[in-house]
Amino acid sequence: MSDTRDSNQGRFVSAEAVAKLAGVSRSAVSRAFTPGASIAPATLARVHAAAAVLGYQVNDLARGLLANRSRLVGLVTSDADTPFRAQMIAALSHALIERSNVPAIINIGPTAGDVANASRQLLRYRAEATVFLSGSPPASLVELTRRNGQPLILINRAETGLDSVHCDDRDGAQQAFEALRMAGASRFAVINRATPSSSLSAREHAFVEFAAASGFEAKVMRTGRADYNGGKEAARRLLASGPAPDAVFCVNDLMAFGALDHLRGAGLRVPDDVSIVGFDDVPVAAWSSYSLTTLRQDPRRIASEVVSILDRRLANPDSPPTSVYFPVKLVVRKTVRARL
């Protein structure tokens, strides 16, 4: 059996080439790579031997398109390079590959048009489902995907009538407030971005509410993006606006890192003068230079919930939408003063 790869240089090896080398029909090659299909053991061995020589791989994309099912699952996101988003993409990709899906990551801009364009592209490729890590799809697009039988799943986004997976933002904010209050704090502040997502907004509002219920006012400082520079700028404005807070809740870890560096640079001692709590527990939070107390979201738990929802939705397309809430855990490190 000779090696015929040179004749196919620059092209994918075809099933026809395998059939020719093995001396069988094209349909025999198809049966050889279809689990449970009827094929004689000797023929199966010849086909697999020819495939090994040629380096043949089954074209799952073509098979999926013939079955109107590509196995693609779109992951629509922005800021894919930020630590928690990168963790989330990695966890989802792993879980989907385990499910025999092909994750297609689309990094979008900030507008509703960017979201719509990404979703339409995934519809054209017959994606099995789309998972939104950022942005919320317009109502017209939701209806279009429903007519085409493509499930939409949102992560930490609020949208009526769609399947979604959320961390418990409210409970996380309560844990943050209680940790800061037990540390003896009395001057509270919240750092958030200028235009927060529904999840970041829920964290802010819940913290303010818990503070008010205990007789305290929490100053809210919103600025820039929800990143390191946004946290630095928010901390700068906090110090310029009056007495320094002795407790700061940041709606994510990136803003907490920026706030920490600015407050330390201004001469405040953390946690002796001011305690700080973040949200997400990205890997950098455990670094000794930050050792940030934070609320942990588990990306693997989120990915598992997404896959479970996808399985249920494909099995029963007309079932009511599911909203799954999972707990967050306070990870205590060195940015909150020890209890008095």
Side-chain angles (χ1 to χ4, degrees):
M1 188 179 291
S2 62
D3 188 336
T4 61
R5 282 176 291 182
D6 287 344
S7 64
N8 289 302
Q9 197 169 33
R11 294 180 295 165
F12 287 107
V13 177
S14 68
E16 286 80 2
V18 175
K20 181 178 180 181
L21 187 60
V24 300
S25 67
R26 169 65 179 79
S27 62
V29 175
S30 178
R31 292 196 305 276
F33 290 96
T34 301
S38 176
I39 184 170
T43 303
L44 179 65
R46 286 163 57 194
V47 171
H48 282 184
V53 168
L54 295 174
Y56 171 73
Q57 295 294 316
V58 175
N59 188 341
D60 280 332
L61 180 59
R63 283 188 171 189
L65 291 176
L66 287 172
N68 203 31
R69 187 182 184 191
S70 69
R71 305 298 295 177
L72 288 173
V73 172
L75 305 180
V76 178
T77 184
S78 62
D79 301 322
D81 57 344
T82 58
F84 183 72
R85 199 61 55 76
Q87 283 183 284
M88 193 65 260
I89 291 170
L92 281 167
S93 296
H94 178 78
L96 289 168
I97 290 170
E98 286 278 304
R99 191 181 177 272
S100 299
N101 287 113
V102 179
I105 302 166
I106 300 181
N107 195 25
I108 60 171
T111 70
D114 296 322
V115 177
N117 288 337
S119 300
R120 290 192 182 95
Q121 191 74 2
L122 289 166
L123 276 174
R124 294 188 187 106
Y125 280 94
R126 299 294 190 269
E128 188 171 283
T130 297
V131 181
F132 286 90
L133 289 78
S134 305
S136 294
S140 59
L141 185 63
V142 172
E143 180 57 30
L144 179 63
T145 56
R146 281 176 175 159
R147 288 201 300 268
N148 282 271
Q150 187 195 87
L152 304 182
I153 304 172
L154 309 185
I155 297 179
N156 284 337
R157 322 293 301 183
E159 188 80 21
T160 303
L162 291 178
D163 294 319
S164 56
V165 180
H166 310 257
C167 73
D168 194 336
D169 294 304
R170 182 175 178 81
D171 181 66
Q174 183 173 17
Q175 292 183 60
F177 173 75
E178 289 176 352
L180 293 167
R181 181 69 189 111
M182 291 296 292
S186 60
R187 300 185 306 279
F188 297 90
V190 182
I191 286 179
N192 202 348
R193 67 176 295 171
T195 54
S197 66
S198 58
S199 186
L200 299 186
S201 183
R203 296 170 195 176
E204 173 197 312
H205 292 158
F207 188 91
V208 170
E209 178 185 327
F210 288 120
S214 296
F216 299 97
E217 179 181 357
K219 180 183 291 186
V220 176
M221 186 60 65
R222 296 195 192 107
T223 180
R225 293 163 54 88
D227 59 12
Y228 177 86
N229 289 328
K232 285 192 75 171
E233 175 62 14
R236 185 193 69 78
R237 291 188 185 181
L238 274 175
L239 295 184
S241 65
D246 59 7
V248 178
F249 173 51
C250 298
V251 295
N252 71 12
D253 288 346
L254 283 183
M255 298 195 89
F257 299 148
L260 265 168
D261 283 344
H262 183 82
L263 293 172
R264 286 170 172 164
L268 292 174
R269 297 169 301 164
V270 179
D272 295 332
D273 299 322
V274 55
S275 293
I276 298 182
V277 175
F279 207 113
D280 289 336
D281 194 29
V282 300
V284 177
W287 291 8
S288 58
S289 55
Y290 289 115
S291 195
L292 176 69
T293 294
T294 184
L295 283 308
R296 185 168 196 272
Q297 297 191 71
D298 185 350
R300 290 173 299 178
R301 169 74 180 274
I302 299 170
S304 176
E305 296 289 0
V306 167
V307 168
S308 294
I309 288 176
L310 179 56
D311 287 339
R312 293 196 298 270
R313 177 57 58 198
L314 292 175
N316 189 359
D318 298 322
S319 63
T322 300
S323 291
V324 176
Y325 288 82
F326 59 91
V328 294
K329 178 183 178 182
L330 183 71
V331 180
V332 179
R333 296 193 180 101
K334 297 180 179 179
T335 58
V336 174
R337 189 166 46 178
R339 294 183 178 184
L340 299 177

